[in-house]
Amino acid sequence: MKTESILVQTLCVPCGCRCRYCLLSWDGTAVGADWEQSTRFAQQFRQWLRKNRPELRFHFAFGYAMEHPDLRNALRFLRQIGSPQAEFLQCGGMRMRSRAECQTLAQMLAEEGVQTLNFTFYGLPDYHDRFANRRGDFAFLLRLMRAADEAGLAVRAGVPLTAESAGQADALLELLRHQVPGLSLSLFVPHEEGRGLSLQGIRFSENDLGQLSQEAQALLNRKLYRPEREWLASRDFPEETGRMLILSLRRDNIQRYLSMSHEQILTEVEALDDAYYASFPSLPALAERYGDMHGGRFYRQRDLFSHYRRLYAAEYGVSVYDVTDERQSGSRRY
């Protein structure tokens, strides 16, 4: 397995929502290390990589949301170190703003070189607000989306599909297009990571596909998202050969990382990744054991692999450090 990039992150910024499928299982308590401490660490790590491991790409990011208390200077730092987050912002969970405040924010983002804002709409207004667990969130996102468009920023919107939301998709798409003509739209099937596991009972399936118009179905990438039975029939499981290491700077680990060399840190996180995946059979082997040849639920390959690993761990009592939990240091394979 080839390490190709490093992501250093700090989950130090609170999120205003409590979404049902939160990747980071936001519970109201930020686990990330102090911002200033994290940026100093990131700069030093980047300098060391450029000198000693120039083949590795480096990124720095923050979360749980983009509502940094000094967002302008945070964006400048991200741009300074070449982080993609300097140009592409996920807008969920930001502080609620009036139209005028949204315009002020969008203008600042444009001034600081942000290119694209991405929004997620879980369904029509009432459903979306319940899913995000914040009243008025849908209307706020529309205000910010319109302000971003007016400021000349590219705007994208993604709509997660579940058995509950599929019937709302066409009306939602029409509503969003009316707000921002030319809006870039896509449909996707949520993951089972973090609190996404709670959506397992309403995972989008072939039975729900008929609720979408042909136009809406065209917005779902069918090469990426397929029913389980199609994955199993084709056995088309591209091998994962690369990985991104994720170094999550937390209040409970930052001092330890500061006491280690950068080489030691890389070696440790690579070992965590190796140990995790060595604890499970390959995806083809897991598919042979747990696959449902008639399964109509949609998955990405990485989500199907994760689903089967969870079944295997439950059957065999596997207990291993979870490198896919992005609240802590780990990895993403691809």
Side-chain angles (χ1 to χ4, degrees), residues 121-135:
F121 291 90
Y122 302 115
L124 292 170
D126 288 343
Y127 181 87
H128 171 96
D129 288 357
R130 290 195 303 272
F131 195 100
N133 201 21
R134 182 163 71 161
R135 182 173 297 177

Side-chain angles (χ1 to χ4, degrees), residues 185-196:
L185 287 162
S186 63
L187 303 180
F188 64 94
V189 179
H191 53 73
E192 286 185 3
E193 299 175 64
R195 277 204 298 271

Side-chain angles (χ1 to χ4, degrees), residues 49-236:
L49 286 172
R50 294 179 73 179
K51 181 179 180 180
N52 298 279
R53 298 291 300 275
E55 78 281 7
L56 298 181
R57 299 187 302 275
F58 176 83
H59 311 289
F60 177 77
F62 66 88
Y64 293 83
M66 301 299 98
E67 194 59 62
H68 193 284
D70 188 4
L71 184 55
R72 186 186 291 273
N73 282 322
L75 290 170
R76 290 177 179 177
F77 175 76
L78 293 171
R79 187 168 64 249
Q80 174 191 336
I81 64 173
S83 174
Q85 197 179 38
E87 297 184 354
F88 182 89
L89 294 188
Q90 299 282 357
C91 293
M94 298 189 78
R95 176 176 62 82
M96 302 276 268
R97 289 170 167 84
S98 66
R99 174 167 171 74
E101 289 173 321
C102 286
Q103 291 172 325
T104 298
L105 174 62
Q107 185 58 45
M108 184 276 286
L109 296 178
E111 291 169 359
E112 293 303 325
V114 174
Q115 301 294 316
T116 304
L117 299 190
N118 191 65
F119 298 82
T120 303
F121 291 90
Y122 302 115
L124 292 170
D126 288 343
Y127 181 87
H128 171 96
D129 288 357
R130 290 195 303 272
F131 195 100
N133 201 21
R134 182 163 71 161
R135 182 173 297 177
D137 190 67
F138 187 97
F140 160 62
L141 292 182
L142 288 186
R143 289 196 297 273
L144 183 54
M145 189 168 66
R146 288 193 297 263
D149 182 60
E150 292 166 0
L153 298 170
V155 180
R156 299 180 185 177
V159 176
L161 291 172
T162 69
E164 289 182 354
S165 67
Q168 305 173 47
D170 277 278
L172 175 60
L173 294 172
E174 182 179 356
L175 186 159
L176 295 177
R177 288 193 181 100
H178 178 74
Q179 296 295 320
V180 179
L183 174 68
S184 176
L185 287 162
S186 63
L187 303 180
F188 64 94
V189 179
H191 53 73
E192 286 185 3
E193 299 175 64
R195 277 204 298 271
L197 185 60
S198 69
L199 303 183
Q200 188 175 15
I202 57 170
R203 175 169 282 274
F204 183 76
S205 73
E206 290 179 299
N207 291 334
D208 307 309
L209 194 63
Q211 298 187 66
L212 305 180
S213 66
Q214 290 298 314
E215 181 183 13
Q217 289 185 33
L219 297 177
L220 178 67
N221 185 338
R222 289 298 303 275
K223 291 184 178 179
L224 185 62
Y225 299 102
R226 308 181 199 175
E228 181 179 9
R229 65 173 186 81
E230 286 187 11
W231 285 112
L232 297 175
S234 69
R235 297 291 175 177
D236 178 22

